Amino acid sequence: MDAVRHGTTHSAEIARRLAGAGVSVADVHGVADLAGIPVLAKDDLPALQAADPPFGGMLAVPVASLRRVFRSPGPINDPQGDHGDFWKMASAVRAAGLGADDVVLNTFSYHLTPGGLMLDGGLRAAGCTVIPGGVGNTAAQVEIACAAGATGYTGTPQFLLTLLERARDQGRELHFARAVVTGAPLPPPLRTRLQHEFGVDVYQAYGTADAGMLGYECEAKDGWHVPRRMVIEVLVPGDDRPAAGGEAGQVVVTSPNEVYPLVRFGTGDLSAWDREPCRCGRSSPRLVGFLGRVGEGVKVKGMFVHPRELAAALAPEPSVGRYQAVVTEGDGGQDVLTVRIEAAPGRTLDAASVTRLGARVREAVKVRAGVAVVGAGTIPEDGPVLVDARS
């Protein structure tokens, strides 16, 4: 396989992993032969990169040849090679019907994390004109989208609803005909509301900063089509056997990317195969969609939040005893992150302390969080640091 041959030659991490498992490149001819290679978990990247900066021995080209270097939550360093649609997002954009006649508001972050430029590259490759909206500043984004006559949107589905409602409250109308959403769940009621109340035809895309685009919806909106040249396995966590039938498993990626090759990279995302033919006529394999997470990270407002980041922000604080972050669903399906904190014995947490701790959490996880002070004994001693309570 090209990914294994190229990776073993150019990626120190892949070469080490194959050698440790006693696997030779000559032994790998197809997907079934990958079984002898251990899976590299995404949650292992921070330690791997800290031991061998900046990319843990995974980069296959000199750092100086990269177009950009990003810092994703984890923390994880992500490379961008020196060509436009590096993450191959254009297929998702085209499948959604967006092209040269469209002006698209892109609301993913352009700062430090790669989400904004991942979609930007795909939009430009498809011929779209891009408004680099970035995160937040809702009023300004409504203003520019109206002024420029934006016909498309990329971002999370929840922020799309926020923009549409804000415009309506202002007596204005956004003319988004199509949207490509990712980074957050799209519950069926939200898709239906966006379509019927606001007239937006919504398509999902699935990708990661490490591997690029891994799946996209067609007009049938019945699962995620896997792009060409991308090898995806769905493996049952624990024993890493191939998931049978519609059984859920971790999405594991082998990619022949010349800049950042991946061999059996465990994304931490759970999905399953849909073996039924798609009504659109495409013959590519399909994933059923997002079914949860394997690792410790939880995606909130399109960004991963990790327990280790919360620990970095709160563990050094002498006034903090126990803490626990809880993710819930707010109005309109918006993600709400609340950090519950118990004061350390003999300490108190006043309003100024709560404000300061909230700022520390936001700086660490890159997501706005509420801080709630709770009584001693409220948080179980053996309770998880991060709880996903969304339906």
Side-chain angles (χ1 to χ4, degrees), residues 114-340:
L117 285 161
M118 287 177 70
L119 269 299
D120 193 293
L123 290 165
R124 292 297 304 133
C128 302
T129 298
V130 182
I131 303 171
V135 176
N137 205 354
T138 306
Q141 298 220 40
V142 169
E143 180 79 25
I144 185 60
C146 288
T151 53
Y153 165 94
T154 52
T156 67
Q158 291 80 8
F159 191 57
L160 172 57
L161 179 62
T162 296
L163 290 172
L164 292 164
E165 290 180 327
R166 175 67 66 88
R168 184 173 61 187
D169 291 345
Q170 295 175 351
R172 312 186 71 163
E173 185 177 359
L174 289 169
H175 295 282
F176 298 143
R178 298 171 184 271
V180 177
V181 300
T182 187
L186 177 61
L190 179 54
R191 190 201 289 265
T192 299
R193 185 179 178 195
L194 291 167
Q195 173 72 61
H196 294 292
E197 187 174 333
F198 295 99
V200 186
D201 195 10
V202 180
Y203 294 76
Q204 284 185 298
Y206 167 48
T208 73
D210 327 88
M213 207 257 293
L214 300 177
Y216 62 91
E217 281 188 329
C218 63
E219 60 271 24
K221 299 177 185 175
D222 186 19
W224 297 337
H225 289 272
V226 174
R228 295 176 59 234
R229 296 195 73 211
M230 194 68 70
V231 175
I232 290 184
E233 301 172 87
V234 179
L235 305 179
V236 177
D239 59 9
D240 285 342
R241 63 175 174 81
E247 187 178 14
Q250 178 180 201
V251 176
V252 175
V253 180
T254 297
S255 164
N257 188 308
E258 293 182 357
V259 172
Y260 202 56
L262 301 174
V263 171
R264 298 203 107 194
F265 177 76
T267 63
D269 297 326
L270 291 173
S271 191
W273 288 118
D274 186 341
R275 303 293 185 184
E276 295 297 318
C278 185
R279 297 190 300 277
C280 75
R282 291 176 175 85
S283 59
S284 50
R286 278 179 301 144
L287 298 166
V288 300
F290 180 70
L291 300 178
R293 286 283 301 168
V294 176
E296 293 182 319
V298 172
K299 192 167 280 191
V300 184
K301 299 181 180 179
M303 301 287 283
F304 275 109
V305 175
H306 292 263
R308 57 179 168 265
E309 293 170 325
L310 294 166
L314 298 175
E317 291 284 336
S319 59
V320 174
R322 294 186 189 131
Y323 56 88
Q324 183 180 66
V326 182
V327 189
T328 56
E329 267 182 33
D331 294 337
Q334 292 278 7
D335 295 337
V336 178
L337 178 63
T338 304
V339 181
R340 305 190 304 158

Side-chain angles (χ1 to χ4, degrees), residues 72-75 303-306 308-314 357-367:
S72 292
M303 301 287 283
F304 275 109
V305 175
H306 292 263
R308 57 179 168 265
E309 293 170 325
L310 294 166
L314 298 175
L357 292 173
R360 282 184 63 89
V361 169
R362 183 179 183 184
E363 182 180 355
V365 305
K366 308 299 186 291
V367 174

Side-chain angles (χ1 to χ4, degrees), residues 57-78:
M58 296 172 65
L59 193 68
V61 297
V63 173
S65 72
L66 297 176
R67 179 172 291 191
R68 297 180 181 89
V69 175
F70 298 93
R71 183 77 157 180
S72 292
I76 295 172
N77 301 324
D78 296 304

